[in-house]
Amino acid sequence: MNRVDLHGVAGFRFAAGAAGLKKSGRLDLALIVADKPALCAGVFTTNKVVAAPVQICAPRIRQGRCQAILVNSGNANACTGEQGRQDALRCGAIAAAALGIDEELVAVSSTGVIGAPLPMAKFEEAVPKLAAQLREDHADEVAAAIMTTDSFAKRYAVTGEVDGRPYRILGVAKGAGMIHPNMATMLAFILTDAELEGGFVDTALRQSVDGSFNCITVDRDTSTNDMVLLLASGAAGNAPIAAGSKAAGEFQSLLDEVLLELAKMIVRDGEGATKLVRIEVTGAASDAEARQAACSVATSSLVKTAFFGQDANWGRIIAAVGYSGAQVDPEKVDIRFGEVPVVKDGLGTGKELEAKATEVLKTPEFTVFIDLKQGSGRAYYYTSDLTYDYVKINADYRS
Amino acid sequence: MNRVDLHGVAGFRFAAGAAGLKKSGRLDLALIVADKPALCAGVFTTNKVVAAPVQICAPRIRQGRCQAILVNSGNANACTGEQGRQDALRCGAIAAAALGIDEELVAVSSTGVIGAPLPMAKFEEAVPKLAAQLREDHADEVAAAIMTTDSFAKRYAVTGEVDGRPYRILGVAKGAGMIHPNMATMLAFILTDAELEGGFVDTALRQSVDGSFNCITVDRDTSTNDMVLLLASGAAGNAPIAAGSKAAGEFQSLLDEVLLELAKMIVRDGEGATKLVRIEVTGAASDAEARQAACSVATSSLVKTAFFGQDANWGRIIAAVGYSGAQVDPEKVDIRFGEVPVVKDGLGTGKELEAKATEVLKTPEFTVFIDLKQGSGRAYYYTSDLTYDYVKINADYRS
């Protein structure tokens, strides 16, 4: 359960400022700094067009230790070529110098306008100031500083216990669609004071990402700047949690919760979205096929406009399952909106139940259950509706 | 070139009527009848949820001979189970009896509401009347009778010559998006009086479909009822055109033209569309990868909203290429809007050229050229923009 009273994690300090990267003058630059090098893992965009900060950051994270994250909004430093890489390196160097640490321990991350060079003078000026203002319990400022088109800052924190010692997991994230001039969809930084064994950091993060950020869609577009980092400070003082242990299972569920809740916040804040819809597929031939089917339904423009129209349009859903590539016998498919069955063995259940289902669609959050009756594969996806405001935000942003 | 003065093809007769399947009372039922069994080929939906008429029609067409096409709008006869199949069979039987032909020679096709049973009494009454009203030169009525959300009827006709004998190819099509209550995206019926060799009918159709209906997108959704049929009456009296001959090459180009122009009409008439955009990818590692990249760009909601916003947003295009799966070196990509280069070797060409590109985007039809410089693979895709009206049509159709 979200602990809204938690604004920090032992072993980490935070600072954020307005460096003038956003024309609005809002917070646009942030530092997260660990007291000593933290264990770390990262998951990065699969887009082949990779922004400069990701090119610099990914190999550093793979070394397994990270002490600082420097992140800016307002400029993605993407499609900026060799100059972009030099600028990203320089950002890391400025932070390292200001913090007195090795620059290989600095992760750099950017989100915002694509194709424009980073205004380096602003970094030269602002980063040392931030380094001098680090404070505990200021994670909220970081969450605010990484926002682009987000309408609210995204933070989620939980507590656990191991060896009688309490620990925390706190995550901040941004994302609301891959929108120019704010190109980058999604950043998430997850911090814990639990001591973890080295290998577990990476596997734990990958498993949580798979069930959260990899199961959400606003508009199918994958950004050039996506990045999820997990840093573990070990300040809780527990014996290191090893993969496979009971403590690891508990840590994993908590981490899953933090990432899933952050992911759902991103969909809820999806550009123009008025609905958060869970698409749950069961009875597929395999989990992978369940995911294919769920993804196909969750990304269909016709399904998403029907959600906006509060229309229990199961025809669009069954058609999206049909072209998903998953094994399906149309005459076995069951579909429910919430608890209301609208399709039984591929046939509509009638006007009365369709009217009841419409009531479900009028709520802001609901689940569509799709049972394929082919096997035991299951998966879910979270999606938003496709609305006038989505078009407005993405077509008319200059007005 | 389209011969708008051609309203029929030798060896075929047409009739259309209003059977009461559309609430509007407009034309909703049509017959195309060949004087004698015509050679035929068909391409059908790849959706695993296949409407009853497609289930009945496809195996008949595969036998290679067809004498009549009975097509209705207003009801898709999809997701209707065993009853739907019986109804589709009965439709064919009614037509066969009225025409005095074998029912295996009747192709049945439907488009419209999904999940509702066909009102068979209306077919029993209307089909014999249509069979008594067949006339040459009435292809336009058929084009009108198959419309659902289409805003204009789609017909395209050309003439060719073989052995000094003139022949015609005439196509009618419908499609504007896969929209409930008009579920089925796309139907096309292509007629020619040219005599073709049996094997060539099928290969010619498949090649033309591959370069036309398989290269267009309005909203990525594949319908349960899609169908393209080619019927050759042989009434032109030429020696049969055999695959590989010079005459076959000429016929193929003409057929390609008819299908591509019909396909473009469908995109131009895309739900809510204000633009017809050709995405042309060159320099891919293979033709297949070029197609992947073109499809990714053509189906991106962010790219399509940018077209609507008349915004030369190359960042969204390069990102869509990046996640397409095609091999790409971001620092080699060139992008042009019409003749205006906006990206050279992965870098923007500056504000002045971007402003010029915006002028291109203000025109109703333009091409986006993307050169990946990886090889000699090339492909194109036609797409529409994503607009307020797309959302309106698909979310608010009940209002």
Side-chain angles (χ1 to χ4, degrees):
Chain A
M1 213 182 68
N2 195 10
R3 290 285 302 271
V4 292
D5 55 323
L6 300 185
H7 302 275
V9 185
F12 294 98
R13 288 169 302 146
F14 309 87
L21 303 165
K22 282 180 182 164
K23 284 180 192 158
S24 62
R26 294 193 183 159
L27 295 177
D28 53 20
L29 190 66
L31 262 179
I32 300 172
V33 179
D35 297 337
K36 54 189 180 64
L39 287 181
C40 66
V43 173
F44 300 91
T45 181
T46 56
N47 198 307
K48 288 183 185 160
V49 180
V50 176
V54 178
Q55 294 179 42
I56 301 305
C57 182
R60 289 184 179 175
I61 293 294
R62 257 179 244 123
Q63 295 175 29
R65 295 274 169 181
C66 175
Q67 193 164 0
I69 302 170
L70 175 67
V71 53
N72 73 276
S73 54
N75 186 315
N77 193 11
C79 299
T80 45
E82 183 53 30
Q83 184 62 48
R85 280 186 291 275
Q86 293 306 323
D87 290 346
L89 281 170
R90 179 65 197 149
C91 284
I94 301 167
L99 297 166
I101 63 174
D102 182 345
E103 64 179 274
E104 286 291 312
L105 290 170
V106 180
V108 287
S109 179
S110 298
T111 178
V113 180
I114 194 172
L118 279 189
M120 290 309 297
K122 295 179 177 169
F123 283 82
E124 300 281 357
E125 191 188 334
V127 173
K129 284 189 195 162
L130 284 191
Q133 294 166 8
L134 291 164
R135 295 170 62 181
E136 296 174 358
D137 294 330
H138 271 53
D140 292 11
E141 282 192 9
V142 175
I146 61 178
M147 289 168 67
T148 56
T149 52
D150 303 64
S151 67
F152 60 89
K154 297 168 183 70
R155 174 176 59 88
Y156 197 93
V158 296
T159 55
E161 201 182 282
V162 58
D163 311 335
R165 286 172 187 272
Y167 65 85
R168 297 178 178 182
I169 306 175
L170 178 146
V172 294
K174 68 131 302 202
M178 191 189 85
I179 174 172
H180 176 101
N182 303 298
M183 185 71 185
T185 314
M186 201 269 295
L187 301 177
F189 305 114
I190 318 297
L191 309 173
T192 182
D193 52 355
E195 180 89 69
L196 307 179
E197 280 205 346
F200 182 52
V201 186
D202 192 64
T203 56
L205 180 64
R206 276 168 207 287
Q207 176 171 327
S208 285
V209 166
D210 202 47
S212 58
F213 296 114
N214 283 347
C215 294
I216 60 171
T217 177
V218 172
D219 55 14
R220 288 197 318 126
D221 285 83
T222 315
S223 123
T224 51
N225 291 54
D226 287 348
M227 174 184 303
V228 185
L229 301 183
L230 167 62
L231 272 62
S233 71
N238 57 291
I241 299 176
S245 65
K246 179 162 168 288
E250 289 166 5
F251 182 86
Q252 185 75 60
S253 335
L254 289 169
L255 188 66
D256 287 352
E257 179 187 337
V258 171
L259 267 70
L260 182 58
E261 292 300 329
L262 288 172
K264 284 163 69 176
M265 286 182 202
I266 287 175
V267 182
R268 218 176 265 128
D269 199 17
E271 289 164 359
T274 69
K275 311 265 178 206
L276 173 68
V277 186
R278 181 179 164 104
I279 308 294
E280 185 158 340
V281 175
T282 56
S286 67
D287 286 353
E289 289 202 4
R291 195 154 175 153
Q292 263 180 292
C295 177
S296 183
V297 173
T299 57
S300 159
S301 293
L302 287 171
V303 170
K304 288 160 69 86
T305 44
F307 290 156
F308 177 50
Q310 305 186 335
D311 169 24
N313 192 321
W314 57 266
R316 294 182 186 178
I317 292 172
I318 205 167
V321 170
Y323 66 71
S324 69
Q327 182 184 314
V328 55
D329 175 349
E331 293 172 24
K332 280 190 175 174
V333 177
D334 290 354
I335 300 175
R336 282 186 293 131
F337 286 90
E339 293 308 309
V340 185
V342 291
V343 174
K344 183 80 191 157
D345 295 327
L347 296 174
T349 55
K351 291 287 162 203
E352 204 171 310
L353 285 167
E354 208 169 300
K356 272 196 185 172
T358 305
E359 295 307 309
V360 175
L361 278 134
K362 287 182 181 165
T363 61
E365 303 196 5
F366 56 88
T367 297
V368 178
F369 296 93
I370 303 166
D371 187 354
L372 303 181
K373 298 182 211 157
Q374 300 292 309
S376 58
R378 55 193 311 144
Y380 58 83
Y381 237 86
Y382 284 90
T383 189
S384 56
D385 51 350
L386 175 58
T387 70
Y388 293 124
D389 278 354
Y390 177 85
V391 177
K392 185 177 177 63
I393 291 168
N394 286 296
D396 285 356
Y397 56 87
R398 289 173 303 185
S399 60
Chain B
M1 212 182 67
N2 195 10
R3 291 286 302 270
V4 291
D5 56 323
L6 301 186
H7 302 275
V9 185
F12 294 99
R13 285 170 303 145
F14 308 88
L21 303 165
K22 281 179 182 164
K23 286 179 190 157
S24 62
R26 293 195 184 160
L27 294 177
D28 54 19
L29 191 66
L31 263 178
I32 300 172
V33 179
D35 296 337
K36 55 191 178 65
L39 287 181
C40 66
V43 172
F44 301 91
T45 181
T46 55
N47 198 307
K48 287 181 187 161
V49 180
V50 176
V54 178
Q55 294 179 40
I56 301 304
C57 182
R60 289 184 179 175
I61 292 294
R62 259 180 241 120
Q63 294 175 29
R65 295 274 168 180
C66 176
Q67 193 166 0
I69 303 170
L70 176 67
V71 53
N72 73 276
S73 54
N75 186 314
N77 193 12
C79 299
T80 46
E82 182 54 30
Q83 185 63 48
R85 279 187 290 275
Q86 293 305 322
D87 290 346
L89 281 170
R90 179 64 197 149
C91 285
I94 301 167
L99 296 166
I101 63 173
D102 182 345
E103 64 180 275
E104 286 290 315
L105 290 170
V106 180
V108 287
S109 178
S110 297
T111 178
V113 182
I114 196 171
L118 279 188
M120 290 308 298
K122 293 180 177 168
F123 282 83
E124 301 281 357
E125 192 190 332
V127 174
K129 283 188 196 163
L130 284 192
Q133 293 166 10
L134 291 164
R135 293 170 63 180
E136 296 174 356
D137 294 331
H138 270 53
D140 291 10
E141 283 192 8
V142 174
I146 60 179
M147 288 167 69
T148 55
T149 51
D150 304 63
S151 67
F152 60 88
K154 298 168 182 70
R155 174 175 59 87
Y156 197 93
V158 295
T159 55
E161 202 184 281
V162 57
D163 313 334
R165 285 170 188 273
Y167 67 84
R168 296 177 178 183
I169 307 175
L170 179 147
V172 294
K174 71 132 299 203
M178 192 189 83
I179 172 171
H180 176 100
N182 302 298
M183 185 72 183
T185 314
M186 201 270 295
L187 302 177
F189 305 114
I190 319 296
L191 310 173
T192 182
D193 51 356
E195 182 88 68
L196 307 178
E197 280 203 349
F200 181 54
V201 185
D202 193 65
T203 54
L205 179 64
R206 276 169 209 287
Q207 176 170 328
S208 285
V209 166
D210 203 47
S212 58
F213 296 115
N214 284 348
C215 294
I216 59 173
T217 178
V218 173
D219 54 15
R220 287 197 319 126
D221 284 84
T222 314
S223 124
T224 52
N225 290 55
D226 287 347
M227 177 185 299
V228 184
L229 302 183
L230 168 62
L231 272 62
S233 71
N238 57 292
I241 298 174
S245 64
K246 178 163 170 285
E250 289 167 5
F251 182 86
Q252 185 75 60
S253 333
L254 289 169
L255 188 66
D256 287 352
E257 179 186 338
V258 171
L259 269 70
L260 182 58
E261 291 301 327
L262 288 171
K264 284 163 68 178
M265 285 182 202
I266 288 175
V267 182
R268 218 175 266 128
D269 199 17
E271 288 164 359
T274 69
K275 310 267 179 205
L276 173 68
V277 186
R278 180 178 165 106
I279 308 295
E280 184 157 340
V281 175
T282 56
S286 67
D287 286 351
E289 289 202 4
R291 194 153 176 154
Q292 264 180 292
C295 177
S296 184
V297 173
T299 58
S300 160
S301 293
L302 287 171
V303 170
K304 288 161 68 87
T305 45
F307 290 156
F308 177 50
Q310 305 186 334
D311 169 24
N313 192 320
W314 57 266
R316 294 181 184 177
I317 291 172
I318 206 167
V321 170
Y323 65 71
S324 69
Q327 182 184 312
V328 55
D329 175 348
E331 292 174 25
K332 281 191 175 174
V333 176
D334 289 354
I335 300 176
R336 282 188 291 133
F337 287 90
E339 294 307 310
V340 185
V342 290
V343 175
K344 184 76 191 162
D345 295 327
L347 296 174
T349 55
K351 291 288 164 201
E352 203 171 310
L353 285 167
E354 210 169 300
K356 272 197 185 171
T358 305
E359 295 306 308
V360 175
L361 278 134
K362 288 182 181 165
T363 60
E365 303 194 4
F366 57 88
T367 298
V368 178
F369 296 93
I370 303 165
D371 188 354
L372 303 181
K373 298 183 215 156
Q374 299 293 309
S376 58
R378 55 194 310 143
Y380 58 85
Y381 237 85
Y382 284 89
T383 189
S384 55
D385 50 349
L386 176 57
T387 69
Y388 294 124
D389 278 353
Y390 177 85
V391 177
K392 185 176 178 62
I393 292 168
N394 286 296
D396 286 356
Y397 56 86
R398 288 173 304 189
S399 60

